[in-house]
Amino acid sequence: MSNGEPTTALAVVLSGASGRMGQAVRACARRESEHYRVVATVGRTDHLSVSVEVGDAVIDFSEASITADLLAACRAHRKPLVIGTTGHDRDQRAAIAEAAAEIPIVFAANFSVGVNTLFWLTREAARILGPSFDLEVIEFHHRRKKDAPSGTARRLGEILAEARALSYDEDIRHGRAGLVGERPGGEIGVHAVRGGDVVGEHTVLFADVGERVELIHRASSRETFAIGALRAAAWLCGRSAGLYDMEDVLGLKNQPPEVRTQK
Ligand code: NAD
C-alpha cells in the first residue's frame, strides 16, 4: 500500500501554526522536508487570502470560529483544505459540507491510524454485539483543551448512533447527575474527563449483564496526528471536490483494515 507521500515537497499553508498541533505539524514537516514544506503560517492577525494563495494545500489546527474565513479563502483560490480543528456547531459543519461541493476537503476528528482503526472496530463491535449491550464513550484530555466532548468522542458517538439507528443529537447523554433513573437502552453516554497533559485517550465501552468489552486508544504524542494531517494534504491534491475523512485517506471505509507494513 502506498503511504500517501508525494514525490516532490508539498507546499503547505498552516493555520494555527503556533499552537500545540501547529508546532507538531511544523516539526514533522521539517523532519520530512523532502516531502513537505510549510511555506506560510496563518495566525490571528494574518491576511488569510494572501497566505492561502502560496500553498498547494492548507492545513488547519486552530479554532472553529476561523473555519468560515478559511473556507472562503480556499474556495477563492481553489485550494484543498485539511481541517483538524474540532468543536464546530451544526451551522459550521453545514458550511464545510457546502464548500466541499467546490473544493476537496478532509475534515477529520482524528488523524491517527490507531484511532481510525478504532472507528472501524467500534462499528464492527456494535454490529456484532447487538442491542443488549449498553454503549458508553469516555474521553480524557489535557487541561487546556477547549471543546468537549472531543471531536473523536463525537465521531465515536456518531458511529454508534448509526449502528443502532439512533440519533446523535437526541440520544447522546453527556454525563449524569441527580436522580436520573435507570439507564434506558436507547442512549449512548459520552463523557469528557480533563486533567494534566494527557494527549488523548478514548474508551468505547460495550456493557451487558455478565460481561463487557472495552476498546481503548491512547495517544502519547501529537506527532501521530501531525503526520496524518500532512499525508491527508498530499492525498487531497489533484482529487475532485468532496468531503472526505481520514478513513477515506487510509482506505479503511467499509472494509477490514489492511495489514500495515509501514507507519
Ligand atoms: P492550541 O490552543 O494549542 O492552538 C490553537 C492555535 O490556533 C493557536 O496558535 C491560536 O493562536 C490559533 N488561533 C486561534 N484563533 C485563531 C484565529 N482566529 N485565526 C488564526 N489562528 C487562530 O490548540 P491545539 O491543541 O493545537 O488544537 C487545535 C485544534 O485541533 C483543536 O480544535 C483541537 O481539538 C484539534 N485537534 C485535532 C486533532 C486531530 O487529529 N484532528 C488532534 C489534536 C487536536
Side-chain angles (χ1 to χ4, degrees):
M1 188 171 98
S2 154
N3 62 10
E5 286 174 357
T7 49
T8 55
L10 184 83
V12 172
V13 173
L14 182 59
S15 157
S18 56
R20 282 174 289 265
M21 274 309 302
Q23 290 178 44
V25 171
R26 282 192 294 172
C28 280
R30 264 198 306 274
R31 217 184 36 245
E32 300 204 9
S33 57
E34 70 277 27
H35 298 305
Y36 309 105
R37 213 158 30 97
V38 175
V39 292
T41 57
V42 181
R44 284 177 194 279
T45 53
D46 294 313
H47 197 297
L48 259 179
S49 193
V50 175
S51 315
V52 162
E53 200 178 353
V54 300
D56 297 323
V58 179
I59 297 179
D60 173 50
F61 283 103
S62 58
E63 279 183 23
S65 59
I66 195 191
T67 300
D69 289 346
L70 262 183
L71 291 172
C74 289
R75 276 166 109 160
H77 295 287
R78 315 219 52 90
K79 298 291 181 186
L81 173 62
V82 174
I83 303 175
T85 300
T86 59
H88 297 91
D89 64 23
R90 190 193 299 251
D91 291 346
Q92 288 165 331
R93 286 170 169 270
I96 293 168
E98 193 193 313
E102 280 181 32
I103 53 168
I105 297 177
V106 171
F107 180 33
N110 200 300
F111 288 96
S112 90
V113 173
V115 160
N116 282 277
T117 303
L118 174 68
F119 290 157
W120 186 89
L121 290 168
T122 297
R123 201 176 283 120
E124 285 302 292
R127 187 179 62 76
I128 293 165
L129 295 172
S132 67
F133 281 76
D134 297 325
L135 308 174
E136 301 272 320
V137 177
I138 303 134
E139 58 105 329
F140 187 4
H141 281 85
H142 56 91
R143 63 167 71 127
R144 296 192 190 281
K145 183 162 178 61
K146 296 183 186 80
D147 57 314
S150 69
T152 302
R154 183 192 162 95
R155 183 74 197 112
L156 288 165
E158 286 171 353
I159 288 169
L160 292 171
E162 217 175 280
R164 283 283 176 85
L166 297 170
S167 149
Y168 182 87
D169 289 329
E170 283 161 30
D171 300 317
I172 295 289
R173 180 78 167 244
H174 295 290
R176 296 183 180 88
L179 196 59
V180 294
E182 290 185 8
R183 186 193 195 287
E187 89 178 6
I188 301 168
V190 177
H191 314 289
V193 182
R194 293 289 174 267
D197 61 354
V198 176
V199 173
E201 293 189 11
H202 292 86
T203 300
V204 186
L205 180 64
F206 302 82
D208 202 349
V209 176
E211 62 175 336
R212 71 172 189 268
V213 177
E214 293 181 25
L215 301 177
I216 302 175
H217 178 271
R218 296 192 177 99
S220 50
S221 156
R222 290 183 176 82
E223 191 172 305
T224 180
F225 310 133
I227 197 65
L230 286 164
R231 289 196 176 135
W235 182 87
L236 265 189
C237 288
R239 210 156 282 270
S240 30
L243 187 56
Y244 306 99
D245 62 22
M246 202 57 191
E247 286 184 270
D248 293 310
V249 177
L250 294 170
L252 295 178
K253 276 265 165 81
N254 303 322
Q255 57 182 11
E258 287 180 44
V259 175
R260 294 181 65 84
T261 53
Q262 192 178 357
K263 219 179 165 203

